Amino acid sequence: MGIVAGLDSSPDFTRIVVCDTDTGAVLRQGYAPHPVETAESGGRPSDVDPQAWLLSLGEAAGGGLLEGVQAIGVSAQQNGLVPLDAQGNTVRPALVGGDKRAQVAAADLVDALGGREAWAQAVGCVPQAAQPVTKLRWLNRTEPDAAQRTAVLLQAHDWLVWQLLGRPLRRTTDRGGASGTGYWSAATGAYRPDLVELALGHQATLPEVLGPSEAAGTTPEGLLISAGTGETMAAAFGLGIGLGDAVVSLGASGSVMAVHTEALADPSGMITSLADATGLHLPVVTTLNAVRTLRGAAELLGLPDLESLSELAMKSTPGSHGLVLLPYLEGERTPNLPHTAGTLAGLRRESMRPEHLARAAFEGMLCGLADALDVLRGRGVDVRRVFLLGAAAELSAVQAAAPALFGAQVVVPQPADYAALGAARQAAWALGVSQGTLDPRLPPVWQGAVAQVLEPGEELAVGQAVRQQYVSVREQTHPGAFRA
């Protein structure tokens, strides 16, 4: 019937997939790194000229990649704040990423509104260093001249959509992107301009929030541009998750998100209440220690890589002969123990073997993520199926333990550009609605992700006993850590 493109502008590169509108089959794809220099620390820079995203986009789309495309969806890195002046020019480079510079500003904001619970009630999340609202506070305190000239606030995907449309007077965003700013409430569907003023020191123009299937506009060449969204929401949409599904992401830190029918206000601040790309909600719980736990254990045992750690762990048995690792190596957000350290409990002569420590590292990481899942379940979120993402999801020790520890079917999708696919699916939806062939409330049904499915099966009772062993150690070591 037609073809659409999904464009994902991540922190490091642009990926474009060109898809069939009816099935989602990928017809062509493009890739280009962002022309961004490495920060002095060796990591990603905290300040980036947004023009780098456009240059990368142009390179990724080269060679006629977009020929015949009727609509484009844009996904982009979350928390990338682009401050513009009254003429639409960037006041300074975009503030991107985790941006540890803003940690003091985050604490300031929490206090300024009256604490964590006040923020949770206001916008469904407690300010973190990465969030746009916190970056505004940092800008106000550190670069007051730039803050004073800031008249319009956009995020990365908002800015790219605006550029593709030829910089029109109307500027737009979507519910997913807006829900991560710290000044829009997923519960009410409205901005909190007072929080912008609290952070920036004055009001600023905010983009119009579009519905999931609405178009942001049409390019001068006649290409329809959909609303766009943040990378997390686009990846969820690309995976095709729905009610009853959760996604566990295994990076250095971990995150657990699930699809839910309503926004959750969590006074403890453990849940960040995001909106998704379909009109539903994506409550997210973050842990600070996921794969970094495995890397630490591999280094301690003198192993060269995580595959070796996994092979060693498989020589042990569920429960690691009584060894329990609380993996709070960087402190922890879930539970909220920012200044704590990890704990290794259950040391006996027979448990002091390398394979048991290796297994305890995997079980500790997965039990920490199961704690995050339980935070959501405890608030009425239905979790029957868990999608496991990240390179570590392929490790045999993870796959052997995860279903029984999570108490759910585990789905390990094949690696794919899910954020770009989600952006393309959004473009197909907006195109279909504009043509009168799709319902604005029902996204197009695309083929699901190719995946490996793992069931808890007979291991469920054993897994739950291991989980209980972990919970007992956690409660003894940090009594009441999960009390709201």
Side-chain angles (χ1 to χ4, degrees):
M1 289 288 288
I3 56 175
V4 292
L7 182 164
D8 176 39
S9 181
S10 84
D12 300 312
F13 53 77
T14 300
R15 281 197 195 279
I16 301 175
V17 294
V18 176
C19 300
D20 178 273
T21 52
D22 292 339
T23 66
V26 177
L27 308 173
R28 306 188 288 271
Q29 44 196 323
Y31 166 88
H34 293 324
V36 172
E37 293 190 9
T38 306
E40 287 179 21
S41 63
R44 293 173 180 151
S46 298
D47 297 314
V48 174
D49 183 347
Q51 293 297 327
W53 307 333
L54 277 185
L55 290 167
S56 170
L57 191 167
E59 189 180 335
L65 185 78
L66 300 180
E67 198 171 314
V69 164
Q70 296 159 277
I72 296 177
V74 177
S75 149
Q77 59 181 301
Q78 281 154 248
N79 302 320
L81 178 70
V82 187
L84 303 179
D85 64 19
Q87 286 71 47
N89 302 311
T90 49
V91 167
R92 68 176 316 284
L95 293 131
V96 297
D99 213 344
K100 291 185 175 176
R101 297 177 297 184
Q103 284 174 340
V104 173
D108 280 353
L109 278 177
V110 172
D111 292 343
L113 195 64
R116 298 167 68 84
E117 188 167 355
W119 278 97
Q121 293 295 339
V123 286
C125 60
V126 178
Q128 304 290 336
Q131 282 182 295
V133 71
T134 306
K135 288 170 175 168
L136 291 179
R137 180 75 159 199
W138 178 87
L139 195 65
N140 185 18
R141 292 285 188 264
T142 315
E143 300 177 11
D145 291 347
Q148 198 57 47
R149 288 188 292 120
T150 298
V152 180
L153 301 177
L154 297 180
Q155 291 190 89
H157 89 261
D158 310 336
W159 187 84
L160 284 165
V161 164
W162 184 57
Q163 295 291 331
L164 289 172
L165 291 172
R167 298 165 60 104
L169 286 175
R170 180 190 188 218
R171 299 178 184 91
T172 61
T173 190
D174 86 305
R175 296 170 67 254
S179 66
T181 58
Y183 44 79
W184 184 86
S185 165
T188 64
Y191 280 117
R192 287 288 302 263
D194 57 315
L195 299 182
V196 173
E197 188 164 350
L198 182 69
L200 185 62
H202 61 87
Q203 293 289 346
T205 301
L206 303 170
E208 178 187 339
V209 181
L210 299 176
S213 61
E214 286 186 77
T218 307
T219 70
E221 299 78 34
L223 264 174
L224 183 128
I225 308 292
S226 63
T229 196
E231 262 187 327
T232 298
M233 299 79 189
F237 198 39
L239 276 168
I241 66 168
L243 292 169
D245 291 335
V247 177
V248 173
S249 295
L250 299 175
S253 54
S255 69
V256 176
M257 66 179 178
V259 181
H260 196 46
T261 51
E262 59 182 329
L264 298 176
D266 174 37
S268 72
M270 283 193 288
I271 298 174
T272 297
S273 198
L274 300 177
D276 80 347
T278 73
L280 292 170
H281 296 271
L282 272 182
V284 179
V285 179
T286 303
T287 70
L288 293 182
N289 301 280
V291 176
R292 63 166 44 100
T293 306
L294 304 183
R295 295 206 185 285
E299 287 169 17
L300 183 64
L301 292 167
L303 298 172
D305 51 40
L306 298 187
E307 287 75 14
S308 304
L309 185 72
S310 176
E311 286 170 19
L312 183 61
M314 293 300 284
K315 294 176 181 173
S316 180
T317 52
S320 310
H321 273 244
L323 274 191
V324 175
L325 176 65
L326 300 182
Y328 305 154
L329 309 184
E330 297 275 321
E332 191 45 87
R333 272 185 64 182
T334 307
N336 185 30
L337 298 166
H339 306 300
T340 195
T343 302
L344 184 63
L347 285 167
R348 297 179 186 275
R349 179 65 192 87
E350 62 270 21
S351 66
M352 295 177 73
R353 295 184 58 83
E355 62 268 28
H356 303 324
L357 177 57
R359 177 98 189 189
F362 282 95
E363 289 178 345
M365 175 189 78
L366 292 169
C367 283
L369 290 160
D371 277 351
L373 270 171
D374 283 351
V375 169
L376 294 176
R377 284 172 166 145
R379 292 298 307 276
V381 178
D382 183 26
V383 178
R384 290 174 304 223
R385 187 168 63 156
V386 174
F387 285 73
L388 204 53
L389 302 186
E394 304 289 334
L395 297 172
S396 55
V398 169
Q399 295 191 3
L405 292 177
F406 292 161
Q409 183 188 79
V410 168
V411 180
V412 184
Q414 280 188 1
D417 301 319
Y418 290 110
L421 286 166
R425 191 177 174 207
Q426 188 195 63
W429 193 6
L431 181 65
V433 169
S434 76
Q435 294 172 339
T437 57
L438 286 179
D439 187 325
R441 295 160 301 179
L442 296 172
V445 178
W446 280 10
Q447 54 201 20
V450 178
Q452 189 178 359
V453 178
L454 310 166
E455 299 285 355
E458 295 174 1
E459 295 295 312
L460 182 59
V462 175
Q464 293 307 293
V466 172
R467 180 101 170 77
Q468 191 52 53
Q469 179 179 266
Y470 176 92
V471 170
S472 297
V473 171
R474 189 197 68 216
E475 279 302 303
Q476 286 169 2
T477 314
H478 305 287
F482 271 107
R483 283 188 201 130

